Amino acid sequence: MKEADQSREGLLSSYDKAERTPMRKSLENAYRSDSDSDIDATDFLDRDPLNDQSQPAVEAYGPSRELANLRRVFARRSRCFFAILTILMIFWTVIAFGGFFLYRKAPKDGLSPPWYPTPPGGTSLKWQDSYKKAQVLVEKMTLAEKVNITTGTGWQMGLAVGNTGPAIHVGFPGLALQDGPLGLRFADNATAFPAGITVGATWNKELMYLRGKAHGLEARLKGINVLLGPCVGPLGRMPAGGRNWEGFGADPVLQGIAGALTIKGIQEEGIIATIKHFVGNEQEHFRQSWEWGLPNAISSNMDDRTLHEMYGWPFQDAVKAGVASVMCSYQMLNNSYSCGNSKLLNGILKDELGFQGFVQSDWLAQRSGVASALSGLDMSMPGDGLMWGRGNSLWGPELSKAVLNGSLPVSRLNDMVTRVVAAWYQLGQDDKSKFNGEGPNFSSWTSDRIGVINPGSPDDHDEKVVNQFINVQGSGADAHSIIARQVATEGIVLLKNEGILPLSKDGWPLSENREINMRVGIFGEDSGAGRGPNACVDRGCNQGTLGSGWGSGAVEFPYLTPPGEALVSAFNKDRVYVTDFPTNDPPLKQTPVILKQQDVCIVFVNADSGEGYMAYDGIRGDRNDLYAQKGGEGLIVKVASGCGDGEGSTIVVIHSVGPVVVDGWIDLPGVKAVVMANLPGQESGSAIADILLGNVNPSGKLPYTIGKSLEDYGPGAKILYYPNAAVPQQNFSEGLYIDYRHFDKEGIQPTFEFGFGLSYTTFEYSNLVVTEVLPKSALPAARTPGIDPPTYDDKIPDVSEALLPEGFRKLKKFVYPYITKTSDIKKGSYPYPVGYEIKQAPSEAGGDEGGNPDLWNTYATVSMDIKNTGSITGKEVVQLYLGFDRVQGAAKEVDFPRSVLRQFEKVELESGERQTVHFNLTRRDLSYWDVVQQNWVMPTEGSITIKVGASSRDFKLTGWY
């Protein structure tokens, strides 16, 4: 088997079509590639972190299966191998030289201006008590303890995927950080919740919150301090993006509301939530230095308005919700690494958005030492530096040196530490009745009961109980499987129904008095269990039914109910004869009776993707296209054409990470219904059976647009599969126009629009009322100053505070804060980054968590009535969009999308029942980001159109503000 390059988010493991070993056991011999990168010119380290580090030989992956097959062929022939190696070297050399010219063609706004120094935390009243407590603790810490808290201990140095050192003398524990967005990665006896994209498809605010709360509780009971989720970046600019499924949909408002409610649920359980990835991580190809054979990651280049109104919008919601941690992303933003981008972290996140918690790096996303600290990074994860599993940290002892030699202000380190400790207090983790300080009760690295705490070190031979196998899934009425099933069911979207659904568990209607039983045939590998949901490490293969994508956002399934099995059980066996063919290649030619005898055929197909550190079936992270995979489209055509000898009805069920093009088969006469089931998690079969048999009325709505082709989404929606420069450049020149906004602008008719979803009942909209609460005004109120942050004695400490204690036994590769000798400290004049001396004026868009408080004031309310005019109980998602087509004056010259989502509400109605739905529209909802005034501006002349309806193209009522 061939070893795949690993990232954290992610682990090295081998992937082929043979049997996999159990996930964590397979990691015992895993290692990172010796990945490295160039260092920022301003990293100011006293030594060159590249000393004694060899340059890796990393295989560059292309997007096609053909290239993967070629690589396997060439690997068997040494002569061909060396020939190919030479060709690749020439290729990358050409790319490097050609990239210089391409780099110069990058847009002028592809530069990130400096913003220094880092605004201190502790300026919000909501955090005042936590910062006071943190100040008392931090004042007592030694330099080594402060560095311990801000630097990870190293890859596989601790039981969690990320671990910090403790401040023992003041009683502050090391923190355990664990993936991920849909459950606890590498944990046993924990719930595999539906993925974020399924949560978004529910459009159900209550379920968004409840799923987060259950997730937070499981993390706490497993001994985790920091949960690495939810995920709102990628936003979904590219429909084939590998990790879109971890987020909630291709719209900033949907992402923002779902993310904020998830954070609320997680943090109510005392767990520090981490909103990620900040910002612009929209594709997997070239997202990380060296992962794809290039020394630098891709640069996502976007203008200021696009950043604020699109990619930054959900992060603003998260900060407003009180999120305690933000994870900066791997790639560059405007040609500056996100974890070292001072404008992004200092200027936007900490000043303008008023973020009070700590910024942590994605695993090895930190690319510089002092420079990243000055730019606003507060915690380095996992602590290793530029290379995996070496222990050569960019911080750790180097951070101690930087403070002692004066190249990093003591005030910056104090703020870094205080932000972490304040977050710990803010979430009540000092409460010993909920947090015992003993850390995780499970190991991320082995499934055995006994193991070592630090398997990444060859020196750790001290075996202990590392897995206590504590079940955190809840039981009875409190079982988290109930929430998981509700989310999976309400996240199913009915796309087409020509009267075939819902099916009856009893088969033919009794009124028809048929003498023979109904025959139902179930087809497709996606209907079955395959080799089990945990057959592949980090779910890194597509086999059996698809419950989640792959990568660090995936989890171990405690179980996964296959759809075929659930449907067989759900039908009345005395009246319905069900046969299940869980394969994409049933013997239809050899045994045509398989199809001819069916009255109803249900076809299951899927499309998978995940994180870019692993590849499967020619797909490395990002999908290669938008079609069903593994011959799914051909299977649909065969079944639909032959079901019941052409007289039967075919139902297609799709499990997918995102949009799937359906136009090649959806209009076939035999295709009577199509269901998009997204990624349902462990309750997959139960959920789809509930919908198909009418136990639950379908109420899901699409969290993205389904176009007729990838071309329909526009040039900006295409993955950059091959580098266009030494530093690949990805220009977000489409600005605000992604997904439905692009389709609206270009007048393209989608197959199914954003927000679309059918029901088994019908609804009537009426009586729209728009009420002005506050008068329009162009700019928000003046920024409020906030409270004073903690202050410290910022004198450089004595070198003794960082010296290695006498007799201390160090583990190899473990990251410690200690220096070994005083001669390591070389004091002198250290240059600071360009722009460091410029005094930055606080943003008028700031003032508290989430920005200027006036942005969150309600300026208008909207109410309307909705009635269930059908015969059964059902839920409807009422969606509110704004249009700026009637504004006048200067704002009229500003480019606005035709419609933008601003609010939604899901309502359950019995047959004949009517309810009134209320919406609040805030100043931010009614504003746009003005790049000149650097503030949110509300158009005051003319009127803003308010559109209420059932999708982005199905508006029932219109009003104006």
Side-chain angles (χ1 to χ4, degrees):
M1 292 189 296
K2 188 165 187 175
E3 289 171 351
D5 190 20
Q6 163 188 327
S7 80
R8 178 221 86 92
E9 301 183 329
L11 305 168
L12 262 187
S13 57
S14 300
Y15 294 91
D16 62 7
K17 295 184 179 179
E19 288 288 329
R20 271 69 170 175
T21 55
M23 184 263 307
R24 280 178 284 169
K25 286 182 179 290
S26 73
L27 302 175
E28 294 171 2
N29 297 317
Y31 64 93
R32 277 278 185 176
S33 66
D34 295 344
S35 299
D36 204 348
S37 171
D38 63 337
I39 304 176
D40 289 2
T42 53
D43 86 355
F44 315 136
L45 296 181
D46 292 330
R47 64 174 179 81
D48 181 358
L50 296 181
N51 285 344
D52 302 321
Q53 298 176 4
S54 58
Q55 184 167 325
V58 180
E59 183 174 5
Y61 286 73
S64 67
R65 184 187 305 179
E66 289 75 11
L67 286 178
N69 291 334
L70 282 174
R71 284 195 298 272
R72 286 193 287 270
V73 173
F74 290 147
R76 301 190 189 102
R77 298 177 174 87
S78 60
R79 290 183 181 179
C80 290
F81 171 79
F82 288 112
I84 293 299
L85 182 62
T86 302
I87 293 171
L88 285 174
M89 291 177 65
I90 295 172
F91 171 74
W92 290 115
T93 301
V94 170
I95 286 292
F97 282 102
F100 171 76
F101 299 102
L102 290 169
Y103 178 85
R104 294 186 63 181
K105 293 181 180 180
K108 291 183 179 180
D109 59 4
L111 298 171
S112 195
W115 207 106
Y116 298 100
T118 302
T123 58
S124 172
L125 275 171
K126 298 173 188 174
W127 285 69
Q128 185 176 30
D129 291 343
S130 297
Y131 266 88
K132 284 182 177 179
K133 293 176 183 177
Q135 182 179 13
V136 171
L137 212 62
V138 173
E139 285 177 334
K140 300 175 183 178
M141 291 182 186
T142 66
L143 173 59
E145 288 178 317
K146 293 176 182 178
V147 172
N148 245 4
I149 288 171
T150 57
T151 307
T153 55
W155 183 241
Q156 294 190 331
M157 300 298 181
L159 296 177
V161 296
N163 307 271
T164 62
I168 295 175
H169 297 102
V170 298
F172 188 80
L175 301 183
L177 298 83
Q178 194 75 9
D179 296 300
L182 67 78
L184 288 175
R185 186 186 185 200
F186 299 154
D188 55 82
N189 293 302
T191 306
F193 292 99
I197 199 66
T198 311
V199 179
T202 70
W203 295 68
N204 187 322
K205 294 179 181 179
E206 181 183 17
L207 288 180
M208 293 167 180
Y209 161 74
L210 290 175
R211 172 180 172 271
K213 190 171 177 64
H215 191 7
L217 176 59
E218 293 196 1
R220 177 162 61 81
L221 295 178
K222 281 290 188 180
I224 297 302
N225 301 96
V226 184
L227 197 55
L228 304 178
C231 177
V232 295
L235 179 63
R237 173 182 186 247
M238 301 163 179
R243 298 183 73 179
N244 291 349
W245 57 273
E246 294 185 36
F248 304 102
D251 178 84
V253 170
L254 179 57
Q255 288 262 29
I257 291 173
L261 290 168
T262 302
I263 289 164
K264 182 176 184 289
I266 291 171
Q267 296 198 161
E268 279 187 3
E269 290 297 331
I271 298 299
I272 295 171
T274 304
I275 197 73
K276 63 181 187 180
H277 306 87
F278 193 58
V279 66
N281 186 181
E282 293 295 314
Q283 69 168 57
E284 290 302 285
H285 283 72
F286 317 118
R287 61 157 189 169
Q288 187 179 8
S289 301
W290 286 119
E291 189 176 36
W292 298 81
L294 292 174
N296 284 292
I298 196 170
S299 178
S300 297
N301 304 321
M302 67 180 72
D303 64 82
D304 196 30
R305 187 181 176 197
T306 299
L307 175 60
H308 280 82
E309 293 189 33
M310 297 294 291
Y311 302 92
W313 182 288
F315 288 94
Q316 186 171 9
D317 283 327
V319 175
K320 177 64 176 175
V323 73
S325 180
V326 171
M327 181 188 289
C328 49
S329 53
Y330 279 119
Q331 92 303 323
M332 297 183 186
L333 180 76
N334 295 341
N335 285 292
S336 177
Y337 277 105
S338 297
C339 292
N341 188 314
S342 64
K343 173 63 176 177
L344 181 66
L345 302 184
N346 290 339
I348 294 177
L349 181 62
K350 292 184 175 179
D351 174 57
E352 182 187 315
L353 300 187
F355 175 59
Q356 302 295 303
F358 62 92
V359 178
Q360 59 170 289
S361 69
D362 204 337
W363 271 227
L364 251 66
Q366 180 192 20
R367 308 310 296 170
S368 62
V370 172
S372 59
L374 294 175
S375 296
L377 185 66
D378 302 307
M379 181 184 288
S380 170
M381 276 291 137
D384 286 303
L386 298 174
M387 300 173 64
W388 288 89
R390 292 293 187 90
N392 296 326
S393 182
L394 290 166
W395 282 2
E398 302 303 327
L399 193 58
S400 298
K401 292 178 189 177
V403 171
L404 292 170
N405 67 26
S407 61
L408 180 71
V410 177
S411 59
R412 175 77 268 262
L413 178 64
N414 284 337
D415 178 57
M416 292 157 60
V417 180
T418 306
R419 284 175 174 272
V420 176
V421 177
W424 183 76
Y425 278 120
Q426 184 77 354
L427 274 299
Q429 294 191 5
D430 57 324
D431 183 349
K432 289 184 169 43
S433 68
K434 294 183 177 180
F435 295 87
N436 58 23
E438 296 178 1
N441 51 45
F442 70 99
S443 171
S444 298
W445 319 119
T446 179
S447 298
D448 297 333
R449 180 172 179 270
I450 304 296
V452 297
I453 302 295
N454 307 295
S457 173
D459 292 345
D460 192 349
H461 306 293
D462 185 13
E463 292 193 335
K464 300 178 179 178
V465 174
V466 293
N467 281 307
Q468 299 178 36
F469 305 111
I470 294 174
N471 192 325
V472 298
Q473 300 169 83
S475 60
D478 296 323
H480 298 159
S481 59
I482 297 173
I483 298 168
R485 181 168 177 171
Q486 284 182 289
V487 174
T489 305
E490 290 199 26
I492 292 174
V493 184
L494 180 60
L495 298 178
K496 178 181 179 179
N497 185 20
E498 294 184 353
I500 184 66
L501 294 177
L503 300 171
S504 169
K505 69 181 180 63
D506 296 318
W508 305 116
L510 294 176
S511 60
E512 294 189 15
N513 195 27
R514 299 205 187 191
E515 296 181 358
I516 60 173
N517 289 349
M518 176 186 280
R519 300 180 68 93
V520 176
I522 302 172
F523 299 87
E525 181 182 322
D526 186 71
S527 72
R531 290 184 285 113
N534 300 320
C536 304
V537 177
D538 274 344
R539 316 294 74 79
C541 60
N542 186 356
Q543 60 84 38
T545 193
L546 186 66
S548 81
W550 72 66
S552 62
V555 299
E556 294 291 284
F557 279 78
Y559 62 86
L560 197 167
T561 307
E565 177 183 307
L567 285 168
V568 169
S569 299
F571 281 105
N572 182 344
K573 296 177 178 58
D574 294 330
R575 296 184 59 83
V576 182
Y577 182 73
V578 184
T579 51
D580 188 8
F581 304 92
T583 173
N584 283 7
D585 190 24
L588 301 181
K589 288 185 178 179
Q590 301 91 322
T591 317
V593 70
I594 289 175
L595 276 178
K596 289 182 179 180
Q597 289 185 347
Q598 308 303 331
D599 299 300
V600 175
C601 297
I602 308 174
V603 184
F604 286 83
V605 298
N606 67 36
D608 197 6
S609 71
E611 196 169 358
Y613 68 86
M614 60 171 69
Y616 179 77
D617 201 23
I619 300 168
R620 190 172 186 198
D622 307 305
R623 285 188 285 168
N624 298 333
D625 52 48
L626 298 184
Y627 296 102
Q629 295 168 3
K630 305 187 76 171
E633 184 161 324
L635 177 66
I636 294 169
V637 172
K638 291 176 184 177
V639 172
S641 301
C643 184
D645 204 14
E647 299 297 323
S649 298
T650 298
I651 301 164
V652 179
V653 179
I654 306 170
H655 288 117
S656 177
V657 292
V660 171
V661 172
V662 299
D663 283 70
W665 49 264
I666 195 169
D667 292 325
L668 292 174
V671 176
K672 302 300 183 183
V674 179
V675 176
M676 176 62 76
N678 294 297
L679 298 175
Q682 67 187 38
E683 294 290 331
S684 175
S686 301
I688 196 63
D690 280 345
I691 293 296
L692 296 185
L693 297 182
N695 300 327
V696 178
N697 191 8
S699 62
K701 302 282 187 174
L702 286 176
Y704 44 71
T705 298
I706 296 180
K708 299 181 184 302
S709 69
L710 177 59
E711 298 295 328
D712 281 357
Y713 294 84
K718 296 180 180 179
I719 301 292
L720 182 67
Y721 292 108
Y722 299 99
N724 58 4
V727 179
Q729 300 291 307
Q730 190 176 70
N731 299 326
F732 289 43
S733 54
E734 75 286 343
L736 309 181
Y737 294 97
I738 70 168
D739 202 77
Y740 71 93
R741 301 166 181 233
H742 165 78
F743 279 77
D744 288 349
K745 180 182 181 181
E746 300 300 328
I748 300 171
Q749 182 63 41
T751 306
F752 298 107
E753 72 269 19
F754 176 83
F756 176 85
L758 299 174
S759 171
Y760 296 153
T761 188
T762 55
F763 301 93
E764 177 185 88
Y765 291 65
S766 64
N767 196 28
L768 180 70
V769 177
V770 180
T771 304
E772 180 183 288
V773 176
L774 293 172
K776 292 178 183 177
S777 59
L779 295 172
R783 173 174 175 150
T784 54
I787 62 175
D788 293 331
T791 57
Y792 299 93
D793 177 3
D794 290 331
K795 180 182 176 182
I796 294 177
D798 189 86
V799 69
S800 62
E801 291 190 19
L803 281 175
L804 181 71
E806 189 173 346
F808 187 89
R809 186 177 76 89
K810 295 175 65 176
L811 293 176
K812 287 182 180 177
K813 300 185 179 181
F814 196 99
V815 177
Y816 297 99
Y818 304 117
I819 62 173
T820 55
K821 53 186 181 300
T822 58
S823 60
D824 286 342
I825 308 305
K826 300 181 179 67
K827 293 189 177 181
S829 177
Y830 290 89
Y832 277 68
V834 173
Y836 192 86
E837 302 301 326
I838 298 174
K839 183 175 177 59
Q840 298 287 346
S843 171
E844 281 299 311
D848 202 353
E849 284 186 292
N852 191 316
D854 192 20
L855 293 174
W856 302 95
N857 287 330
T858 297
Y859 274 70
T861 61
V862 179
S863 66
M864 49 78 60
D865 294 340
I866 183 166
K867 180 181 179 182
N868 184 344
T869 55
S871 59
I872 60 174
T873 297
K875 294 181 180 180
E876 172 70 333
V877 179
V878 182
Q879 303 167 42
L880 187 153
Y881 296 78
L882 296 185
F884 291 82
D885 51 315
R886 291 165 63 97
V887 300
Q888 299 172 7
K892 187 68 174 178
E893 301 172 6
V894 178
D895 188 25
F896 293 108
R898 182 182 302 172
S899 302
V900 291
L901 180 70
R902 281 296 182 260
Q903 266 295 347
F904 58 87
E905 204 65 55
K906 194 166 198 175
V907 185
E908 183 172 22
L909 299 166
E910 295 180 1
S911 176
E913 182 183 0
R914 182 190 304 271
Q915 284 189 29
T916 301
V917 179
H918 299 274
F919 296 107
N920 293 329
L921 292 176
T922 66
R923 171 180 279 279
R924 187 182 66 148
D925 290 332
L926 299 162
S927 300
Y928 66 95
W929 180 259
D930 189 295
V931 298
V932 176
Q933 299 190 64
Q934 285 294 290
N935 210 334
W936 293 94
V937 174
M938 181 189 296
T940 57
E941 301 295 328
S943 57
I944 298 170
T945 305
I946 295 169
K947 314 170 188 179
V948 176
S951 77
S952 63
R953 290 202 170 186
D954 185 12
F955 300 124
K956 311 291 187 178
L957 305 169
T958 303
W960 293 272
Y961 166 68

